Amino acid sequence: MSELNAEHARRAIIEHTRRLGESAAAAGPVAVVPTTPEWTIADLVEHVGQTQHWTAQIIEDRVTDFAQLPTGTAAAPADPGQWVTWLSGSADRVANAFSDGALDVPVLNAAGDDRSGARFWLSNVLNETVVHGFDAANAAGQADDIDADVAAELVSHHLAMLTSPTWETQRPGSAHAIRGTGQTLQWLATDTADGAGAWFVERRPDGAAWRAGTGRADVTVTGTAGSLLLTLTRRIPLTDVETTGVRVDGDADLIRHWLENTAHIAD
C-alpha cells in the first residue's frame, strides 16, 4: 500500500479539524447531520474530538494489543463557543503523537496489513477527520474540498479495512456479503499522479481482496479521488453523475451491492 507523506497527513488532520469546527459552529449544536442522520452536530463534534484524543493515547502509550486500548473518553465542552478551541487541542495532540520517531515503533495495527501500527492509526484518524469534516460542511450547507492525495490514501485505507481480518470479526455480515465467485470491481481516480489512484477488488469465496492498480473488471467507477472516497463512504450518491462527476461503466448492480453492504469505518 502506498503511504501519504506523514507531514502532509499531520497538516491535513489539523486543517480539516479547523474546517470541521468552523462548519459545526455555523450549523449549530442541534442541527441534524444529513449524512449521518442519527447524529446532531454536537454528537459529531464530540465523536471527532474523542477519537483524536483516544488515538493519540494509543500512540503515546505504545499500545500493542486490543486489550490495552484506552477505555476513557474526553468530554466535549457543553458550550459550542468552545468547540473550535477544544477541537484544535485534540488535533494538535494527535498530530504531535505521530512524530517521525513514532511512526515505526511497535503499536497495534487493527487492520493487520503490512503498515506499521502508527501508520495505520495515522490514516485512520485522518479518515475520521476528513469524512466527518465533510459531514459537518454538508450540514452547514458548505463545500469541503479534499486534496487528491489525501483522498487516495483514504480510499486505500477504506479498502484495507473492509478486507481485513478485523472487519470479518467486527462486521461479519458485511464481510460475508462482499464475498463472491470472482466478480471484479475497480475504482479509477482522474486527478492523481503516477498511477496512485487505481484500486482493484476481487470478490472471492473466502473473502474480498484488493490491490493497487488496474485489471479487467466487471465494473469500473471513475471520478476524482475525493468523489470516489465520498461515494465509497456513502456520503454522496452513486447515481448523481452530473453533480459528482462519478461515472460507472459495466455492471452497476455489482457496485450498488458493494456500497449497500459496506458501512464506513467512521459510521
Side-chain angles (χ1 to χ4, degrees):
M1 179 189 298
S2 63
E3 294 174 340
L4 185 68
N5 174 275
E7 178 57 27
H8 191 171
R10 291 188 287 257
R11 291 197 307 267
I13 289 169
I14 291 171
E15 172 61 17
H16 281 271
T17 303
R18 180 190 64 78
R19 295 188 210 170
L20 187 156
E22 292 175 354
S23 295
V30 298
V32 173
V33 182
T35 42
T36 54
E38 294 183 359
W39 283 4
T40 65
I41 282 290
D43 296 327
L44 186 149
V45 166
E46 185 164 66
H47 171 78
V48 172
Q50 287 179 342
T51 298
Q52 290 178 343
H53 280 298
W54 183 78
T55 303
Q57 188 173 343
I58 290 171
I59 305 306
E60 291 163 357
D61 293 350
R62 305 295 194 256
V63 169
T64 58
D65 187 86
F66 282 102
Q68 300 171 339
L69 289 172
T71 56
T73 56
D79 179 4
Q82 298 178 20
W83 283 353
V84 170
T85 300
W86 183 68
L87 286 170
S88 176
S90 65
D92 285 345
R93 180 187 177 190
V94 77
N96 289 334
F98 290 107
S99 65
D100 289 342
L103 292 176
D104 296 308
V105 300
V107 175
L108 170 71
N109 176 345
D113 55 31
D114 59 1
R115 291 174 287 180
S116 71
R119 289 185 184 274
F120 161 80
W121 290 109
L122 179 58
S123 292
N124 200 66
V125 76
L126 178 62
N127 181 74
E128 292 276 344
T129 304
V130 169
V131 173
H132 286 317
F134 173 84
D135 291 335
N138 182 261
Q142 300 171 344
D144 186 44
D145 294 331
I146 305 171
D147 288 349
D149 53 353
V150 170
E153 168 72 12
L154 298 184
V155 170
S156 296
H157 178 75
H158 177 78
L159 294 174
M161 285 304 300
L162 292 177
T163 56
S164 71
T166 302
W167 194 262
E168 178 82 33
T169 300
Q170 295 184 347
R171 305 282 182 90
S174 171
H176 287 212
I178 60 176
R179 292 179 178 181
T181 55
Q183 297 89 343
T184 51
L185 309 86
Q186 67 180 343
W187 289 265
L188 303 177
T190 58
D191 58 346
T192 54
D194 302 324
W199 302 268
F200 187 85
V201 168
E202 182 178 2
R203 296 174 59 168
R204 304 170 179 171
D206 60 345
W210 84 281
R211 62 173 173 80
T214 61
R216 187 170 181 176
D218 296 314
V219 61
T220 298
V221 185
T222 306
T224 65
S227 293
L228 296 181
L229 172 67
L230 295 173
T231 299
L232 279 164
T233 56
R234 305 190 300 189
R235 263 53 190 185
I236 59 175
L238 182 67
T239 54
D240 193 3
V241 64
E242 291 188 4
T243 301
T244 66
V246 174
R247 190 180 76 246
V248 178
D249 297 300
D251 188 350
D253 287 340
L254 190 57
I255 186 62
R256 279 194 290 267
H257 181 270
W258 177 273
L259 295 175
E260 288 168 359
N261 288 280
T262 50
H264 184 236
I265 193 66
D267 287 347

